[in-house]
Amino acid sequence: MDMKTQCFMEAAKCLNFTKAAERMFISQPALSKNIASLEADCGMRLFYRDKKSSVRLTPAGAVMLCELQKAVKITDGILEKARMAEAGEEGHMVIGLRFGQIFNDDIKKVLNEIDVDYPAIEIEKISGGYRDLRIWLEDGTADMIVTYEEEAGLIKDATWEEVAVRSLGFCVPKENPLAAEKTLHIKDLEGQKIIIPDEREIFTVYDRFRELCMLEGFAPLEIYAPDLNHKNLMVEMGKGISLCTDDVMITRSPNVKFFKCRELGKVKLVAAWLKDNYNPVITFYHQMYEKLYREER
């Protein structure tokens, strides 16, 4: 609040320029000059003045005092919320995860540290497909998502940091004869049913898989699942083989066997958020992740 406004508010409370000046530790002429300047800026009189130092508020002055008092309360509330956020005394962050995703150890450590150091901060987790994660980050449903770097690159104005490198491979139903093998290669999948998620959920690695199949001289026999959840269910029911990374729950199922595939390679798992998301909890997360990263190296 500038000096002119402070002089006005003090004078409006005292209804006496001399007393107001004394309370502000300035001279009465200086206070009068500031109020006159404010009236000139506003283009209206704020006080009725008599020959003595006592004054009365004009209707415009009364309205201005009332609204300024409201503004002061709002500003004080904003500052208090900012102070609490800075101290980690309150906060809420929504993290979006893929269906069946296992929390990466580094992310778990960071969130556990936030929970210990800032117990008043609430972390909410929601799960969905790749498309869901992108939409949730773009529309503000999620403050942060954990996905693959290629997926994060599809989101406008997103920024991210690497949290892990994951191996790609195949989940094979236990009743499939291929489950008895020690290793699997792309060429071994000729004639096998490959479960592919709906195109809205599709991850960029599927295009690479198709190209590798064509290089081996065959087109994959694809069957479709409506989403990632159904894809995992279909694998467990023995409907076909699926592509996945080694950080999803399906790889731990007793009904399937997971094979890493060197031909498919690896992918980077990242924590992504929008550049213009000013949720202070993201700052805490980033600071703690950087600390953890330095400690481990």
Side-chain angles (χ1 to χ4, degrees):
M1 187 181 299
D2 63 15
M3 189 63 176
K4 296 177 186 179
T5 306
Q6 290 181 56
C7 288
F8 164 75
M9 290 192 69
E10 198 59 48
K13 292 174 188 175
C14 297
L15 293 178
N16 185 295
F17 280 14
T18 301
K19 288 182 180 179
E22 289 174 354
R23 293 179 62 169
M24 293 191 67
F25 302 101
I26 60 174
S27 66
Q28 190 271 327
L31 181 131
S32 297
K33 182 178 180 180
N34 274 285
I35 292 175
S37 178
L38 179 62
E39 289 178 318
D41 293 341
C42 296
M44 63 188 78
R45 293 177 63 188
L46 302 176
F47 291 99
Y48 293 122
R49 298 165 174 81
D50 58 25
K51 293 182 180 180
K52 300 179 180 180
S53 57
S54 296
V55 294
R56 292 181 294 117
L57 285 168
T58 66
V63 170
M64 181 171 285
L65 175 62
C66 181
E67 295 303 316
L68 283 172
Q69 287 174 331
K70 291 179 185 178
V72 168
K73 289 182 180 179
I74 292 172
T75 302
D76 288 345
I78 291 171
L79 291 174
E80 178 61 15
K81 285 187 175 182
R83 185 197 66 76
M84 293 178 72
E86 175 69 18
E89 294 174 5
E90 71 170 17
H92 179 263
M93 182 169 75
V94 179
I95 297 182
L97 304 170
R98 289 167 297 135
F99 281 124
Q101 182 176 358
I102 298 170
F103 246 152
N104 169 267
D105 287 342
D106 285 350
I107 297 175
K108 260 197 305 191
K109 287 179 183 177
V110 171
L111 295 181
N112 285 340
E113 284 200 28
I114 289 177
D115 190 47
V116 171
D117 294 348
Y118 307 104
I121 290 177
E122 179 186 1
I123 304 295
E124 178 184 352
K125 296 181 284 290
I126 56 177
S127 298
Y130 298 114
R131 180 173 177 267
D132 294 326
L133 296 180
R134 294 196 301 269
I135 291 174
W136 290 341
L137 194 62
E138 289 171 341
D139 69 12
T141 299
D143 297 294
M144 178 186 290
I145 62 172
V146 180
T147 187
Y148 298 115
E149 188 173 43
E150 293 92 336
E151 289 292 310
L154 299 175
I155 304 169
K156 184 180 178 183
D157 296 328
T159 186
W160 59 86
E161 58 189 12
E162 179 185 322
V163 296
V165 176
R166 310 308 312 187
S167 296
L168 286 160
F170 310 108
C171 275
V172 181
K174 282 289 181 67
E175 61 266 33
N176 189 308
L178 288 179
E181 300 293 330
K182 291 184 178 180
T183 60
L184 272 189
H185 301 282
I186 297 291
K187 63 182 180 181
D188 299 323
L189 300 181
E190 184 174 1
Q192 294 288 330
K193 292 179 180 179
I194 307 299
I195 304 171
I196 306 290
D198 181 275
E199 62 180 8
R200 295 172 302 171
E201 302 288 359
I202 207 147
F203 174 39
T204 50
V205 73
Y206 288 98
D207 291 333
R208 186 157 77 246
F209 169 70
R210 293 185 181 103
E211 291 172 1
L212 290 171
C213 289
M214 296 303 292
L215 289 173
E216 292 292 343
F218 71 96
L221 181 58
E222 300 179 5
I223 59 175
Y224 290 89
D227 54 43
L228 298 181
N229 223 13
H230 281 83
K231 183 196 77 166
N232 294 338
L233 181 62
M234 289 171 69
V235 177
E236 293 211 72
M237 292 175 64
K239 300 294 185 181
I241 295 170
S242 74
L243 279 69
C244 62
T245 51
D246 59 359
D247 65 336
V248 291
M249 292 297 296
I250 185 68
T251 61
R252 274 63 166 175
S253 169
N255 301 316
V256 305
K257 183 176 179 179
F258 176 72
F259 293 86
K260 290 183 181 179
C261 178
R262 290 185 178 180
E263 296 154 294
L264 287 175
K266 298 183 177 184
V267 290
K268 290 181 180 179
L269 188 68
V270 301
W273 59 90
L274 295 183
K275 295 175 184 176
D276 61 356
N277 186 325
Y278 299 111
N279 186 331
V281 184
I282 292 179
T283 302
F284 289 130
Y285 172 90
H286 183 72
Q287 289 172 346
M288 289 188 173
Y289 183 80
E290 287 295 308
K291 176 186 174 184
L292 177 66
Y293 185 89
R294 287 194 300 271
E295 287 176 352
E296 292 187 346
R297 285 155 181 77

